[in-house]
Amino acid sequence: MTDATTNLLDFDLEALSAYCERLGEKRFRAVQLFRWIHQRGARDFDQMSDLAKSLRAKLAGCATIRPLPVISEHVSADGTVKWLFDVGAGNAVESVFIPEDDRGTLCVSSQAGCAVGCRFCSTGHQGFSRNLSTGEILAQLWHAEHSLRARLKTPAGERVITNVVMMGMGEPLQNYGALVPALRVMLDDHGYGLSRRRVTVSTSGVVPFMERLREDLPVALAVSLHAPDDALRDPLVPLNRKYPLAELLAACKGYLERAPRDFITFEYCMLDGVNDGDEQARALLALVGPKGPAGRVPCKFNLIPFNPFPASGLKRSSSERVQAFAKILIEGGIVTTVRKTRGDDIDAACGQLAGEVQDRTRAAERMTRAPVQVIRPVRPA
Ligand code: SAH
Ligand code: SF4
């Protein structure tokens, strides 16, 4: 059954103001309404005591604040929380909350499935079903923030979620039209009030939309690199065939002119015997150094231990290998971190946000027919 009412979670403040105007209301009413929704987590117009009764009645007739149905919620021993949300037609997406001493990060999904089809990613293996709407992207944050506040008994006016990373299921820059209004609500002082440094879009490298994001709303950017050259990146991140490394690095450099931080974060998933050799680490230094295709690219590296899943046919690099790889980057002058795996007991780690997706692209079938090979010779034992 579809709900014919307008979902107010689909609107940034500008769109909500226009909506209020269409209802014959003054635009500033939208600010009150917006604050009720995003800052106080209200769902019911009757709660909104400072709005005129006539407006509340009008809204109740044509609009809703529509959360996503929660299929499951898992809380890990380390405080990580993972939600599985129903997005209809047999599709589900996941969000993960990661508490740390000085912050609370929510990892948000942007699509049901993903069309990029990276070899090491279980979302990619599921194929693509559809884009999430702005309201569905924001419903993840809305639910996480307000359910956690209630559970943790957070004092009024305090936020639980201080950072958002668009690192759940999907390629956010292939859902640009829905992403940007959602980001605006995250940044809006009347919404979640997060600074541009605390909202990160992670991309596999959709170059034209990196350029648009730079103009429209330059939040922090993470780029999933995973390989130092096109020959290795092509099979791992198939989008590389369209936007090869030289173009990607030039776009990173261009992005930095407007970015809220003065570096790009490169994510690098460590795959045993595939992209984790000393020679690849040295090649990365050359790639982002002054003699690389785009000249020096100020960056940090975040090495992600691969989270294995059977269909990938790939293995996680040993921690000694990850350390040796990191050492080469660090000695080459690049700040490098190794991502901690959190929420292991509830499968909340990167690339395991599998959800359940109706595969409309038959990605799984294609990938099974062409099993993944170790692309580079494995290091001598
Ligand atoms: N589509 C975007 C954002 C979602 S993926 C992107 O690719 O950047 C978020 C991060 O998780 C990416 O860096 C991705 O490469 C990484 N990732 C995907 N599958 C993984 C796996 N099985 N193990 C470790 N990291 C993985
Ligand atoms: Fe899509 Fe990102 Fe997974 Fe690649 S890593 S398939 S871009 S979600």
Side-chain angles (χ1 to χ4, degrees), residues 30-92:
V31 173
Q32 285 172 296
L33 183 54
F34 196 75
R35 292 173 68 102
W36 271 108
I37 299 170
H38 295 291
Q39 296 195 340
R40 305 189 58 174
R43 258 199 86 183
D44 186 349
F45 298 115
D46 276 339
Q47 266 176 281
M48 304 182 182
S49 46
D50 57 354
L51 293 184
K53 276 218 170 98
S54 57
L55 172 57
R56 286 190 253 158
K58 226 185 280 179
L59 287 168
C62 60
T64 43
I65 295 147
R66 208 148 54 238
L68 287 172
V70 178
I71 298 171
S72 63
E73 183 193 84
H74 294 279
V75 183
S76 159
D78 65 13
T80 302
V81 184
K82 179 173 83 167
W83 294 272
L84 184 64
F85 294 104
D86 185 357
V87 293
N91 294 319

Short mmCIF file of all heavy atoms in Angstrom, two decimals, residues 30-92:
data_model
loop_
_atom_site.label_atom_id
_atom_site.label_comp_id
_atom_site.label_asym_id
_atom_site.label_seq_id
_atom_site.Cartn_x
_atom_site.Cartn_y
_atom_site.Cartn_z
N ALA A 30 7.55 27.27 8.70
CA ALA A 30 8.32 26.08 8.32
C ALA A 30 9.47 25.84 9.29
O ALA A 30 9.81 24.70 9.58
CB ALA A 30 8.84 26.23 6.90
N VAL A 31 10.07 26.93 9.80
CA VAL A 31 11.19 26.76 10.74
C VAL A 31 10.72 26.02 11.99
O VAL A 31 11.36 25.07 12.45
CB VAL A 31 11.82 28.13 11.10
CG1 VAL A 31 12.88 27.97 12.19
CG2 VAL A 31 12.43 28.78 9.86
N GLN A 32 9.56 26.45 12.49
CA GLN A 32 9.03 25.78 13.69
C GLN A 32 8.76 24.30 13.42
O GLN A 32 9.12 23.44 14.21
CB GLN A 32 7.71 26.45 14.10
CG GLN A 32 7.90 27.79 14.77
CD GLN A 32 6.56 28.47 14.97
OE1 GLN A 32 5.87 28.80 13.99
NE2 GLN A 32 6.17 28.66 16.22
N LEU A 33 8.12 24.07 12.29
CA LEU A 33 7.78 22.70 11.92
C LEU A 33 9.03 21.83 11.75
O LEU A 33 9.13 20.71 12.26
CB LEU A 33 6.97 22.78 10.61
CG LEU A 33 6.41 21.51 10.00
CD1 LEU A 33 5.56 20.73 10.99
CD2 LEU A 33 5.55 21.88 8.76
N PHE A 34 10.00 22.41 11.06
CA PHE A 34 11.27 21.73 10.79
C PHE A 34 11.99 21.36 12.10
O PHE A 34 12.52 20.26 12.26
CB PHE A 34 12.12 22.69 9.95
CG PHE A 34 13.31 22.10 9.24
CD1 PHE A 34 13.14 21.34 8.10
CD2 PHE A 34 14.60 22.37 9.68
CE1 PHE A 34 14.25 20.84 7.41
CE2 PHE A 34 15.70 21.88 8.99
CZ PHE A 34 15.53 21.12 7.86
N ARG A 35 11.96 22.30 13.04
CA ARG A 35 12.61 22.04 14.34
C ARG A 35 11.88 20.94 15.11
O ARG A 35 12.51 20.10 15.76
CB ARG A 35 12.69 23.33 15.17
CG ARG A 35 13.65 24.35 14.55
CD ARG A 35 13.59 25.67 15.29
NE ARG A 35 14.12 25.57 16.63
CZ ARG A 35 15.33 25.99 17.00
NH1 ARG A 35 16.13 26.53 16.11
NH2 ARG A 35 15.72 25.85 18.23
N TRP A 36 10.56 20.96 15.03
CA TRP A 36 9.81 19.89 15.70
C TRP A 36 10.20 18.52 15.14
O TRP A 36 10.40 17.57 15.88
CB TRP A 36 8.29 20.10 15.51
CG TRP A 36 7.68 20.94 16.57
CD1 TRP A 36 7.22 22.22 16.44
CD2 TRP A 36 7.45 20.57 17.95
NE1 TRP A 36 6.73 22.68 17.63
CE2 TRP A 36 6.86 21.69 18.58
CE3 TRP A 36 7.70 19.43 18.70
CZ2 TRP A 36 6.50 21.68 19.93
CZ3 TRP A 36 7.35 19.41 20.05
CH2 TRP A 36 6.75 20.54 20.65
N ILE A 37 10.31 18.49 13.82
CA ILE A 37 10.59 17.20 13.18
C ILE A 37 12.00 16.73 13.50
O ILE A 37 12.20 15.62 14.02
CB ILE A 37 10.43 17.30 11.64
CG1 ILE A 37 9.00 17.71 11.26
CG2 ILE A 37 10.83 15.99 10.96
CD1 ILE A 37 8.83 18.06 9.79
N HIS A 38 12.99 17.57 13.17
CA HIS A 38 14.37 17.08 13.20
C HIS A 38 15.04 17.25 14.56
O HIS A 38 15.87 16.44 14.94
CB HIS A 38 15.19 17.75 12.10
CG HIS A 38 14.70 17.36 10.73
ND1 HIS A 38 14.86 16.09 10.24
CD2 HIS A 38 14.01 18.06 9.80
CE1 HIS A 38 14.31 16.02 9.03
NE2 HIS A 38 13.78 17.20 8.75
N GLN A 39 14.70 18.31 15.28
CA GLN A 39 15.38 18.52 16.57
C GLN A 39 14.66 17.81 17.71
O GLN A 39 15.27 17.44 18.70
CB GLN A 39 15.51 20.01 16.86
CG GLN A 39 16.40 20.69 15.82
CD GLN A 39 16.86 22.06 16.23
OE1 GLN A 39 16.26 22.69 17.09
NE2 GLN A 39 17.91 22.53 15.61
N ARG A 40 13.35 17.67 17.59
CA ARG A 40 12.62 17.07 18.70
C ARG A 40 12.06 15.71 18.36
O ARG A 40 11.49 15.04 19.23
CB ARG A 40 11.52 18.02 19.16
CG ARG A 40 12.17 19.37 19.48
CD ARG A 40 11.28 20.35 20.14
NE ARG A 40 10.70 19.91 21.39
CZ ARG A 40 9.98 20.69 22.17
NH1 ARG A 40 9.79 21.95 21.81
NH2 ARG A 40 9.44 20.23 23.27
N GLY A 41 12.21 15.32 17.09
CA GLY A 41 11.78 13.97 16.72
C GLY A 41 10.27 13.77 16.76
O GLY A 41 9.81 12.63 16.94
N ALA A 42 9.52 14.85 16.57
CA ALA A 42 8.06 14.71 16.61
C ALA A 42 7.54 14.02 15.36
O ALA A 42 8.09 14.19 14.27
CB ALA A 42 7.42 16.09 16.74
N ARG A 43 6.50 13.24 15.54
CA ARG A 43 5.84 12.57 14.41
C ARG A 43 4.40 13.03 14.28
O ARG A 43 3.77 12.89 13.26
CB ARG A 43 5.80 11.06 14.68
CG ARG A 43 6.82 10.30 13.94
CD ARG A 43 6.43 8.85 13.90
NE ARG A 43 5.55 8.58 12.79
CZ ARG A 43 5.01 7.40 12.54
NH1 ARG A 43 5.25 6.39 13.34
NH2 ARG A 43 4.22 7.24 11.51
N ASP A 44 3.91 13.49 15.41
CA ASP A 44 2.49 13.74 15.52
C ASP A 44 2.28 15.26 15.55
O ASP A 44 2.87 15.96 16.39
CB ASP A 44 2.05 13.10 16.86
CG ASP A 44 0.57 13.17 17.04
OD1 ASP A 44 -0.09 13.88 16.26
OD2 ASP A 44 0.07 12.53 17.99
N PHE A 45 1.46 15.77 14.61
CA PHE A 45 1.29 17.23 14.54
C PHE A 45 0.65 17.79 15.81
O PHE A 45 0.88 18.95 16.16
CB PHE A 45 0.48 17.61 13.30
CG PHE A 45 1.16 17.21 12.02
CD1 PHE A 45 0.61 16.25 11.18
CD2 PHE A 45 2.38 17.77 11.67
CE1 PHE A 45 1.26 15.87 10.01
CE2 PHE A 45 3.04 17.40 10.51
CZ PHE A 45 2.48 16.44 9.67
N ASP A 46 -0.12 16.97 16.52
CA ASP A 46 -0.77 17.44 17.75
C ASP A 46 0.22 17.82 18.84
O ASP A 46 -0.10 18.58 19.75
CB ASP A 46 -1.73 16.37 18.28
CG ASP A 46 -3.08 16.49 17.58
OD1 ASP A 46 -3.36 17.59 17.04
OD2 ASP A 46 -3.81 15.48 17.55
N GLN A 47 1.43 17.20 18.76
CA GLN A 47 2.47 17.52 19.74
C GLN A 47 2.98 18.96 19.58
O GLN A 47 3.58 19.50 20.50
CB GLN A 47 3.70 16.64 19.45
CG GLN A 47 3.83 15.36 20.20
CD GLN A 47 5.08 14.63 19.66
OE1 GLN A 47 5.03 14.02 18.60
NE2 GLN A 47 6.18 14.72 20.39
N MET A 48 2.80 19.52 18.39
CA MET A 48 3.51 20.76 18.04
C MET A 48 2.76 21.95 18.59
O MET A 48 2.10 22.71 17.86
CB MET A 48 3.68 20.82 16.51
CG MET A 48 4.40 19.58 15.98
SD MET A 48 4.66 19.64 14.21
CE MET A 48 5.45 18.05 13.94
N SER A 49 2.92 22.14 19.89
CA SER A 49 2.03 23.02 20.64
C SER A 49 2.11 24.49 20.23
O SER A 49 1.16 25.24 20.43
CB SER A 49 2.35 22.88 22.13
OG SER A 49 3.75 22.92 22.30
N ASP A 50 3.25 24.90 19.65
CA ASP A 50 3.33 26.31 19.27
C ASP A 50 2.86 26.58 17.84
O ASP A 50 2.97 27.70 17.34
CB ASP A 50 4.75 26.86 19.49
CG ASP A 50 5.79 26.08 18.73
OD1 ASP A 50 5.45 25.04 18.12
OD2 ASP A 50 6.97 26.48 18.75
N LEU A 51 2.31 25.58 17.18
CA LEU A 51 1.71 25.81 15.87
C LEU A 51 0.20 25.96 16.04
O LEU A 51 -0.41 25.25 16.85
CB LEU A 51 1.97 24.63 14.92
CG LEU A 51 3.41 24.36 14.46
CD1 LEU A 51 3.44 23.22 13.45
CD2 LEU A 51 4.04 25.61 13.84
N ALA A 52 -0.38 26.86 15.26
CA ALA A 52 -1.83 27.09 15.37
C ALA A 52 -2.59 25.79 15.10
O ALA A 52 -2.17 24.99 14.26
CB ALA A 52 -2.25 28.15 14.37
N LYS A 53 -3.68 25.62 15.83
CA LYS A 53 -4.49 24.41 15.66
C LYS A 53 -4.93 24.23 14.21
O LYS A 53 -4.97 23.12 13.69
CB LYS A 53 -5.73 24.49 16.56
CG LYS A 53 -5.47 24.03 17.97
CD LYS A 53 -6.70 23.25 18.49
CE LYS A 53 -6.40 22.56 19.81
NZ LYS A 53 -6.86 23.30 20.97
N SER A 54 -5.24 25.36 13.55
CA SER A 54 -5.72 25.28 12.16
C SER A 54 -4.62 24.72 11.25
O SER A 54 -4.88 23.90 10.38
CB SER A 54 -6.14 26.66 11.68
OG SER A 54 -5.05 27.56 11.80
N LEU A 55 -3.37 25.13 11.49
CA LEU A 55 -2.26 24.60 10.68
C LEU A 55 -2.06 23.11 10.97
O LEU A 55 -1.87 22.31 10.06
CB LEU A 55 -0.98 25.39 10.94
CG LEU A 55 0.31 24.84 10.30
CD1 LEU A 55 0.17 24.69 8.78
CD2 LEU A 55 1.52 25.71 10.61
N ARG A 56 -2.11 22.75 12.24
CA ARG A 56 -1.93 21.34 12.59
C ARG A 56 -2.98 20.48 11.90
O ARG A 56 -2.68 19.41 11.39
CB ARG A 56 -2.03 21.16 14.11
CG ARG A 56 -0.79 21.68 14.82
CD ARG A 56 -0.83 21.27 16.26
NE ARG A 56 -1.11 22.40 17.13
CZ ARG A 56 -1.60 22.30 18.36
NH1 ARG A 56 -1.92 21.11 18.86
NH2 ARG A 56 -1.81 23.36 19.09
N ALA A 57 -4.21 21.00 11.87
CA ALA A 57 -5.29 20.23 11.23
C ALA A 57 -5.05 20.12 9.73
O ALA A 57 -5.22 19.06 9.13
CB ALA A 57 -6.63 20.90 11.50
N LYS A 58 -4.58 21.22 9.14
CA LYS A 58 -4.30 21.22 7.71
C LYS A 58 -3.21 20.18 7.39
O LYS A 58 -3.32 19.38 6.46
CB LYS A 58 -3.81 22.62 7.31
CG LYS A 58 -4.46 23.16 6.04
CD LYS A 58 -3.86 24.48 5.62
CE LYS A 58 -4.39 25.69 6.39
NZ LYS A 58 -3.78 26.97 5.99
N LEU A 59 -2.14 20.22 8.18
CA LEU A 59 -1.03 19.29 7.95
C LEU A 59 -1.48 17.84 8.10
O LEU A 59 -1.12 16.97 7.30
CB LEU A 59 0.12 19.58 8.92
CG LEU A 59 0.93 20.84 8.64
CD1 LEU A 59 1.83 21.18 9.82
CD2 LEU A 59 1.77 20.68 7.37
N ALA A 60 -2.29 17.61 9.12
CA ALA A 60 -2.73 16.24 9.38
C ALA A 60 -3.51 15.68 8.18
O ALA A 60 -3.50 14.47 7.94
CB ALA A 60 -3.59 16.19 10.64
N GLY A 61 -4.12 16.58 7.41
CA GLY A 61 -4.89 16.13 6.26
C GLY A 61 -4.06 15.79 5.03
O GLY A 61 -4.50 15.03 4.17
N CYS A 62 -2.86 16.36 4.93
CA CYS A 62 -2.13 16.17 3.67
C CYS A 62 -0.69 15.70 3.84
O CYS A 62 -0.03 15.37 2.86
CB CYS A 62 -2.16 17.47 2.86
SG CYS A 62 -1.41 18.85 3.71
N ALA A 63 -0.18 15.69 5.07
CA ALA A 63 1.25 15.37 5.24
C ALA A 63 1.47 14.38 6.36
O ALA A 63 0.64 14.24 7.26
CB ALA A 63 2.02 16.66 5.53
N THR A 64 2.62 13.69 6.29
CA THR A 64 3.05 12.83 7.40
C THR A 64 4.54 13.01 7.59
O THR A 64 5.24 13.51 6.71
CB THR A 64 2.80 11.33 7.13
OG1 THR A 64 3.18 11.05 5.78
CG2 THR A 64 1.38 10.91 7.36
N ILE A 65 5.01 12.55 8.74
CA ILE A 65 6.44 12.45 8.99
C ILE A 65 6.67 10.94 9.02
O ILE A 65 6.28 10.27 9.95
CB ILE A 65 6.80 13.11 10.33
CG1 ILE A 65 6.51 14.62 10.21
CG2 ILE A 65 8.25 12.86 10.70
CD1 ILE A 65 6.04 15.25 11.49
N ARG A 66 7.21 10.45 7.91
CA ARG A 66 7.16 9.00 7.68
C ARG A 66 8.49 8.31 7.96
O ARG A 66 9.41 8.40 7.16
CB ARG A 66 6.74 8.74 6.23
CG ARG A 66 6.02 7.45 6.06
CD ARG A 66 4.95 7.41 4.97
NE ARG A 66 5.31 7.79 3.64
CZ ARG A 66 4.73 8.77 2.96
NH1 ARG A 66 3.79 9.50 3.49
NH2 ARG A 66 5.10 9.04 1.73
N PRO A 67 8.62 7.65 9.10
CA PRO A 67 9.87 6.93 9.35
C PRO A 67 9.92 5.66 8.50
O PRO A 67 8.94 5.28 7.88
CB PRO A 67 9.79 6.59 10.84
CG PRO A 67 8.38 6.70 11.22
CD PRO A 67 7.62 7.43 10.15
N LEU A 68 11.08 5.00 8.51
CA LEU A 68 11.18 3.70 7.84
C LEU A 68 10.84 2.61 8.86
O LEU A 68 11.33 2.67 9.99
CB LEU A 68 12.60 3.47 7.33
CG LEU A 68 13.03 4.28 6.10
CD1 LEU A 68 14.52 4.09 5.85
CD2 LEU A 68 12.23 3.86 4.87
N PRO A 69 10.06 1.62 8.48
CA PRO A 69 9.80 0.52 9.42
C PRO A 69 11.11 -0.19 9.78
O PRO A 69 11.94 -0.45 8.91
CB PRO A 69 8.89 -0.41 8.62
CG PRO A 69 8.38 0.39 7.47
CD PRO A 69 9.37 1.47 7.20
N VAL A 70 11.28 -0.44 11.07
CA VAL A 70 12.51 -1.11 11.54
C VAL A 70 12.28 -2.62 11.52
O VAL A 70 11.34 -3.12 12.14
CB VAL A 70 12.86 -0.66 12.98
CG1 VAL A 70 14.11 -1.39 13.49
CG2 VAL A 70 13.08 0.85 13.03
N ILE A 71 13.11 -3.32 10.79
CA ILE A 71 12.99 -4.79 10.75
C ILE A 71 13.72 -5.39 11.95
O ILE A 71 13.23 -6.30 12.60
CB ILE A 71 13.59 -5.35 9.44
CG1 ILE A 71 12.81 -4.81 8.24
CG2 ILE A 71 13.59 -6.88 9.46
CD1 ILE A 71 13.45 -5.14 6.90
N SER A 72 14.91 -4.85 12.23
CA SER A 72 15.63 -5.37 13.39
C SER A 72 16.60 -4.31 13.90
O SER A 72 16.96 -3.37 13.18
CB SER A 72 16.41 -6.63 13.02
OG SER A 72 17.38 -6.32 12.04
N GLU A 73 16.98 -4.51 15.15
CA GLU A 73 17.98 -3.64 15.77
C GLU A 73 18.91 -4.52 16.56
O GLU A 73 18.45 -5.37 17.33
CB GLU A 73 17.27 -2.66 16.71
CG GLU A 73 18.21 -1.68 17.34
CD GLU A 73 17.58 -0.91 18.50
OE1 GLU A 73 17.58 -1.45 19.62
OE2 GLU A 73 17.08 0.19 18.28
N HIS A 74 20.21 -4.38 16.34
CA HIS A 74 21.18 -5.19 17.09
C HIS A 74 22.12 -4.25 17.82
O HIS A 74 22.63 -3.30 17.23
CB HIS A 74 22.00 -6.06 16.15
CG HIS A 74 21.18 -7.11 15.46
ND1 HIS A 74 20.84 -8.30 16.07
CD2 HIS A 74 20.63 -7.14 14.24
CE1 HIS A 74 20.11 -9.01 15.24
NE2 HIS A 74 19.96 -8.33 14.12
N VAL A 75 22.35 -4.55 19.08
CA VAL A 75 23.28 -3.74 19.86
C VAL A 75 24.49 -4.62 20.18
O VAL A 75 24.35 -5.72 20.71
CB VAL A 75 22.62 -3.26 21.17
CG1 VAL A 75 23.59 -2.36 21.95
CG2 VAL A 75 21.32 -2.52 20.88
N SER A 76 25.66 -4.11 19.82
CA SER A 76 26.89 -4.87 20.05
C SER A 76 27.41 -4.63 21.46
O SER A 76 27.09 -3.63 22.10
CB SER A 76 27.93 -4.41 19.02
OG SER A 76 29.23 -4.72 19.45
N ALA A 77 28.26 -5.54 21.91
CA ALA A 77 28.87 -5.41 23.23
C ALA A 77 29.64 -4.09 23.34
O ALA A 77 29.73 -3.52 24.43
CB ALA A 77 29.80 -6.59 23.49
N ASP A 78 30.18 -3.59 22.24
CA ASP A 78 30.95 -2.34 22.32
C ASP A 78 30.08 -1.08 22.13
O ASP A 78 30.61 0.02 21.96
CB ASP A 78 32.13 -2.36 21.33
CG ASP A 78 31.69 -2.39 19.87
OD1 ASP A 78 30.50 -2.14 19.58
OD2 ASP A 78 32.54 -2.65 19.00
N GLY A 79 28.77 -1.26 22.11
CA GLY A 79 27.87 -0.10 22.03
C GLY A 79 27.44 0.25 20.61
O GLY A 79 26.57 1.11 20.40
N THR A 80 28.04 -0.41 19.63
CA THR A 80 27.63 -0.20 18.23
C THR A 80 26.19 -0.69 18.06
O THR A 80 25.82 -1.73 18.61
CB THR A 80 28.59 -1.00 17.31
OG1 THR A 80 29.92 -0.55 17.55
CG2 THR A 80 28.26 -0.78 15.84
N VAL A 81 25.40 0.08 17.32
CA VAL A 81 24.01 -0.33 17.09
C VAL A 81 23.78 -0.41 15.59
O VAL A 81 24.17 0.48 14.83
CB VAL A 81 23.00 0.70 17.68
CG1 VAL A 81 21.57 0.20 17.52
CG2 VAL A 81 23.30 0.98 19.14
N LYS A 82 23.15 -1.48 15.16
CA LYS A 82 22.84 -1.63 13.73
C LYS A 82 21.34 -1.80 13.54
O LYS A 82 20.72 -2.62 14.19
CB LYS A 82 23.58 -2.85 13.17
CG LYS A 82 23.29 -3.10 11.70
CD LYS A 82 24.16 -4.21 11.13
CE LYS A 82 23.58 -5.59 11.41
NZ LYS A 82 24.23 -6.64 10.61
N TRP A 83 20.78 -0.98 12.64
CA TRP A 83 19.36 -1.12 12.32
C TRP A 83 19.20 -1.63 10.90
O TRP A 83 19.94 -1.20 9.99
CB TRP A 83 18.65 0.23 12.38
CG TRP A 83 18.58 0.84 13.72
CD1 TRP A 83 17.61 0.65 14.67
CD2 TRP A 83 19.50 1.78 14.30
NE1 TRP A 83 17.88 1.40 15.79
CE2 TRP A 83 19.02 2.10 15.59
CE3 TRP A 83 20.68 2.38 13.85
CZ2 TRP A 83 19.69 2.99 16.42
CZ3 TRP A 83 21.35 3.26 14.68
CH2 TRP A 83 20.86 3.56 15.95
N LEU A 84 18.22 -2.47 10.72
CA LEU A 84 17.83 -2.90 9.38
C LEU A 84 16.46 -2.29 9.11
O LEU A 84 15.51 -2.51 9.87
CB LEU A 84 17.78 -4.42 9.33
CG LEU A 84 17.47 -5.07 7.98
CD1 LEU A 84 18.57 -4.78 6.96
CD2 LEU A 84 17.32 -6.59 8.14
N PHE A 85 16.36 -1.50 8.05
CA PHE A 85 15.11 -0.79 7.73
C PHE A 85 14.47 -1.39 6.48
O PHE A 85 15.17 -1.68 5.50
CB PHE A 85 15.39 0.69 7.45
CG PHE A 85 15.88 1.48 8.63
CD1 PHE A 85 17.23 1.82 8.73
CD2 PHE A 85 15.00 1.89 9.62
CE1 PHE A 85 17.69 2.58 9.81
CE2 PHE A 85 15.45 2.65 10.70
CZ PHE A 85 16.80 2.99 10.79
N ASP A 86 13.16 -1.47 6.52
CA ASP A 86 12.40 -1.97 5.37
C ASP A 86 12.14 -0.80 4.41
O ASP A 86 11.55 0.20 4.80
CB ASP A 86 11.07 -2.52 5.91
CG ASP A 86 10.24 -3.17 4.81
OD1 ASP A 86 10.66 -3.15 3.64
OD2 ASP A 86 9.17 -3.71 5.16
N VAL A 87 12.59 -0.93 3.16
CA VAL A 87 12.29 0.12 2.19
C VAL A 87 11.34 -0.39 1.10
O VAL A 87 11.23 0.19 0.02
CB VAL A 87 13.57 0.75 1.56
CG1 VAL A 87 14.35 1.51 2.62
CG2 VAL A 87 14.47 -0.28 0.90
N GLY A 88 10.64 -1.45 1.40
CA GLY A 88 9.57 -1.92 0.52
C GLY A 88 10.04 -2.87 -0.57
O GLY A 88 11.24 -3.00 -0.84
N ALA A 89 9.09 -3.57 -1.15
CA ALA A 89 9.32 -4.51 -2.27
C ALA A 89 10.45 -5.50 -1.97
O ALA A 89 11.23 -5.87 -2.86
CB ALA A 89 9.63 -3.73 -3.55
N GLY A 90 10.53 -5.93 -0.72
CA GLY A 90 11.53 -6.93 -0.36
C GLY A 90 12.93 -6.37 -0.19
O GLY A 90 13.89 -7.12 -0.05
N ASN A 91 13.07 -5.05 -0.19
CA ASN A 91 14.40 -4.44 -0.02
C ASN A 91 14.59 -3.91 1.39
O ASN A 91 13.66 -3.38 1.99
CB ASN A 91 14.58 -3.26 -0.99
CG ASN A 91 14.60 -3.71 -2.43
OD1 ASN A 91 15.20 -4.73 -2.76
ND2 ASN A 91 13.93 -2.96 -3.28
N ALA A 92 15.82 -4.02 1.86
CA ALA A 92 16.13 -3.49 3.18
C ALA A 92 17.49 -2.80 3.14
O ALA A 92 18.37 -3.20 2.38
CB ALA A 92 16.14 -4.61 4.21
#
